[in-house]
Amino acid sequence: MITKVLSSLYSWIILVVLVIIVITANSFYVVSTLNDLSALEARLFTTNRVINAVNRLHVAVLRVESGQRGYMLTGDEEYLTDYTETLSVIGELMDEVEVSSFSSDINDQSIRIEELLSLTKAKINEVIEVVELYKEGKEQQAVILVNSDKGIKLYKQFETLFREIDGSERDMQGTHLANLMSLRRDSVNTLIISSATTLLLIITVFLLLKINSREHEKYQADLESVNEDLESRIADRTQELSIYSDELARSNRELEDFAFVASHDLQEPLRKIRAFGNRLESGYNDVIDERGKDYLARMLNAAERMSMLISDLLAFSRVSTRGKEFDDVNLGTVVDSIMGDLEIAIDEKSAQINVSDMPTIRGDKSQLEQLFLNLVSNALKFQSEGVRPEVTISARDATEEETKDILLAEEYDWTKITVSDNGIGFEQSFAEKIFAPFQRLHGRSEYKGTGIGLAVCRRIVERHNGQITAVSSPGKGATFSIIIPKNSEPFGSNNNNGETHNDA
């Protein structure tokens, strides 16, 4: 009976609930302890701040008075150096004392500190008055003022109040330290409780696992007999699956054709939306209010973006489904061709394109042209205002270190192509995200596009059994590195560093 209860689904549910309760309770204990610790640390900091502030103020008053006495006794102005330096910072010290009083935990402490600051001002003014009289040659009056005991009385009042403030803050400090020790004992108790509950859970889990292990051995024998029966059935089904596989391949081809036709059919209503929208914009512009014009502009922009998305999505899907057979392709000729396509954009931005000697590789020429076109056009597009674009395209043989993580790397000769620019760049943390379809790092209002260009680049490179990576930092441009074989066939190997990309 106990075995059935412990091995049932309900026992695991109860155990999960208990684990959640225990973890929650321990979390509350920890959070409460941390909160108390933070509060005590804050209070200790406040108390220490008040103590240090009033002590520095006390020392400053003593230094001012000491400088006054030394000067009056000797007439040597050297004694006024420390006096003058202290007077220059006395205001800051008084401000520090005043600020620290606002956070004191002691009732009416701010009133006492305010009185202390008042006595400080009075004492400092008395000292300054004596020194100034002595400087002016009025030694008699200065001596009379000193002998009036006004300064002594002020200092005694100041010292009495200082000791009262300092003592009360130190008492409060002792209270906080005592509370901290108490919190430490509570933390130990919390640790003991947590350890005990965790041990109990471990024992319970061990018991359930032990019981389940016995049940597993019992069912293992039954499974073996069932597996024998399944093997015979699998053999019978293998032939059926082979037929289904051929049917699935035919169905996939039909789905690709359907997607192509459907995408073109989607373009037709978009063209009508844009056509009628343009007619509204040109023929009825005078009768449409500002809100209507805004709605119409948004509709046309949305239709245009939708059209671009469909076109780019088709281009993305065609990389694998519409690719051509590989042939020898001179990459220098490819780059020259896309330079002609981008001639207007290059001239408009006065861009400087530097191209080194490029190798000849086996590949799909049209796709390689698309690859370089996307990379160079991005380099021209993502530029800061007023900066002349500079794009450098170079190629060299890839090293063993660069191809060591590529599967079946020894089967091909590899070349490394780099495309560098001086554009706006991006955070290196986005270096993988930018190759995902429809991923944009900037708003459409800043830079046009659908975010499919680099995804197409990656699919083209992967169809050529290569890898593409990006290195960049904000404001310092970007460098795209392509490691591609010179002598491969379409998808001749799976060179994706062991990663699986979803090409759907």
Side-chain angles (χ1 to χ4, degrees):
M1 182 65 181
I2 297 177
T3 301
K4 291 183 179 179
V5 171
L6 290 176
S7 60
S8 67
L9 176 63
Y10 296 105
S11 65
W12 286 102
I13 294 175
I14 294 172
L15 178 61
V16 170
V17 172
L18 286 174
V19 169
I20 293 174
I21 293 173
V22 170
I23 291 175
T24 303
N26 289 339
S27 298
F28 275 118
Y29 270 123
V30 172
V31 170
S32 176
T33 302
L34 290 175
N35 287 338
D36 292 342
L37 180 61
S38 297
L40 280 174
E41 288 178 346
R43 290 174 181 172
L44 280 171
F45 174 78
T46 299
T47 303
N48 288 333
R49 185 180 179 185
V50 174
I51 292 172
N52 292 335
V54 296
N55 273 282
R56 284 195 293 271
L57 183 62
H58 182 221
V59 171
V61 171
L62 290 176
R63 291 175 67 183
V64 169
E65 190 174 37
S66 176
Q68 176 215 50
R69 292 178 180 177
Y71 176 61
M72 290 183 65
L73 288 174
T74 64
D76 187 357
E77 292 192 1
E78 184 67 24
Y79 284 96
L80 294 181
T81 301
D82 195 35
Y83 162 86
T84 304
E85 291 176 354
T86 305
L87 283 181
S88 65
V89 298
I90 195 73
E92 296 178 5
L93 295 176
M94 292 175 67
D95 290 340
E96 183 179 355
V97 172
E98 185 176 12
V99 170
S100 66
S101 68
F102 297 144
S103 55
S104 177
D105 294 332
I106 301 174
N107 294 332
D108 300 330
Q109 188 72 299
S110 60
I111 297 175
R112 286 192 287 270
I113 289 178
E114 185 177 354
E115 184 180 352
L116 180 70
L117 294 176
S118 178
L119 289 171
T120 302
K121 292 178 182 178
K123 177 59 181 175
I124 294 299
N125 289 335
E126 183 268 337
V127 172
I128 293 173
E129 183 180 359
V130 171
V131 172
E132 292 301 319
L133 287 172
Y134 204 87
K135 281 184 176 181
E136 295 172 359
K138 301 176 181 179
E139 292 88 347
Q140 185 86 20
Q141 296 180 27
V143 171
I144 291 173
L145 184 58
V146 171
N147 292 333
S148 66
D149 294 336
K150 176 183 177 181
I152 294 176
K153 290 178 181 179
L154 286 173
Y155 178 74
K156 286 183 178 180
Q157 292 176 3
F158 173 86
E159 186 177 26
T160 300
L161 192 55
F162 158 74
R163 294 189 182 281
E164 182 180 346
I165 293 171
D166 184 72
S168 60
E169 290 293 339
R170 291 186 184 279
D171 291 340
M172 181 59 68
Q173 187 181 51
T175 301
H176 290 334
L177 288 173
N179 291 335
L180 189 61
M181 296 302 296
S182 175
L183 180 62
R184 181 180 179 184
R185 290 192 295 271
D186 292 342
S187 300
V188 174
N189 294 334
T190 301
L191 179 62
I192 294 173
I193 293 173
S194 300
S195 301
T197 52
T198 303
L199 180 62
L200 179 61
L201 287 175
I202 292 174
I203 293 173
T204 305
V205 170
F206 177 78
L207 178 62
L208 288 174
L209 290 176
K210 187 68 175 177
I211 294 172
N212 286 337
S213 176
R214 293 176 181 176
E215 293 295 325
H216 175 74
E217 292 175 358
K218 177 181 176 182
Y219 292 130
Q220 186 66 31
D222 296 336
L223 285 174
E224 290 177 358
S225 62
V226 172
N227 284 338
E228 293 177 359
D229 182 56
L230 286 175
E231 287 176 359
S232 62
R233 294 184 182 183
I234 289 172
D236 297 334
R237 299 288 289 181
T238 300
Q239 187 174 3
E240 298 178 14
L241 290 174
S242 178
I243 298 173
Y244 292 154
S245 177
D246 295 338
E247 182 66 19
L248 181 60
R250 183 188 64 79
S251 177
N252 284 338
R253 289 194 299 271
E254 292 177 353
L255 285 173
E256 289 177 3
D257 294 338
F258 174 77
F260 178 78
V261 173
S263 298
H264 279 71
D265 289 344
L266 286 174
Q267 291 281 18
E268 182 59 29
L270 284 175
R271 282 192 288 270
K272 289 184 178 179
I273 291 173
R274 295 170 65 183
F276 284 115
N278 289 329
R279 290 182 185 179
L280 284 173
E281 186 177 32
S282 59
Y284 298 88
N285 192 55
D286 296 336
V287 298
I288 301 177
D289 60 11
E290 291 301 324
R291 176 179 289 186
K293 292 178 182 178
D294 180 56
Y295 289 162
L296 182 60
R298 293 187 185 185
M299 179 187 73
L300 291 173
N301 288 336
E304 183 179 359
R305 288 199 306 272
M306 185 65 179
S307 178
M308 291 174 61
L309 287 171
I310 293 173
S311 299
D312 288 346
L313 190 58
L314 277 175
F316 182 71
S317 65
R318 287 173 181 170
V319 172
S320 299
T321 61
R322 305 281 176 166
K324 300 177 182 178
E325 293 295 325
F326 280 15
D327 199 358
D328 290 340
V329 179
N330 187 308
L331 294 183
T333 304
V334 169
V335 174
D336 290 340
S337 175
I338 67 109
M339 289 299 106
D341 294 338
L342 296 173
E343 181 178 1
I344 295 176
I346 292 172
D347 290 341
E348 286 179 350
K349 296 193 173 185
S350 300
Q352 179 179 343
I353 312 296
N354 304 313
V355 184
S356 66
D357 292 336
M358 303 297 288
T360 296
I361 67 172
R362 287 190 59 77
D364 185 332
K365 182 179 179 182
S366 61
Q367 290 188 351
L368 291 172
E369 288 176 346
Q370 184 68 44
L371 170 66
F372 283 100
L373 181 67
N374 289 353
L375 292 177
V376 176
S377 61
N378 277 355
L380 297 175
K381 177 170 63 172
F382 295 104
Q383 286 285 340
S384 301
E385 190 69 26
V387 176
R388 180 189 181 190
E390 293 184 10
V391 184
T392 301
I393 304 174
S394 60
R396 61 171 174 80
D397 291 339
T399 63
E400 291 185 3
E401 181 68 21
E402 291 169 335
T403 60
K404 68 177 182 179
D405 295 328
I406 300 179
L407 300 178
L408 305 178
E410 65 280 357
E411 294 187 4
Y412 304 111
D413 297 325
W414 298 85
T415 186
K416 181 177 181 180
I417 304 166
T418 58
V419 180
S420 303
D421 61 62
N422 62 336
I424 60 175
F426 53 84
E427 293 287 352
Q428 187 61 31
S429 58
F430 297 125
E432 183 65 24
K433 177 181 177 182
I434 59 174
F435 292 106
F438 305 114
Q439 293 294 324
R440 296 173 55 90
L441 303 183
H442 307 280
R444 288 190 293 269
S445 61
E446 298 180 80
Y447 300 97
K448 293 183 179 180
T450 60
I452 201 73
L454 289 179
V456 171
C457 290
R458 167 171 275 183
R459 293 203 71 176
I460 291 173
V461 172
E462 289 178 349
R463 182 170 183 259
H464 287 72
N465 305 298
Q467 295 177 342
I468 181 171
T469 56
V471 176
S472 180
S473 60
K476 297 184 178 180
T479 298
F480 290 86
S481 299
I482 303 166
I483 299 178
I484 194 169
K486 300 179 181 179
N487 53 344
S488 69
E489 294 298 328
F491 293 111
S493 62
N494 183 20
N495 291 328
N496 299 322
N497 283 340
E499 297 178 6
T500 301
H501 298 287
N502 184 6
D503 293 331

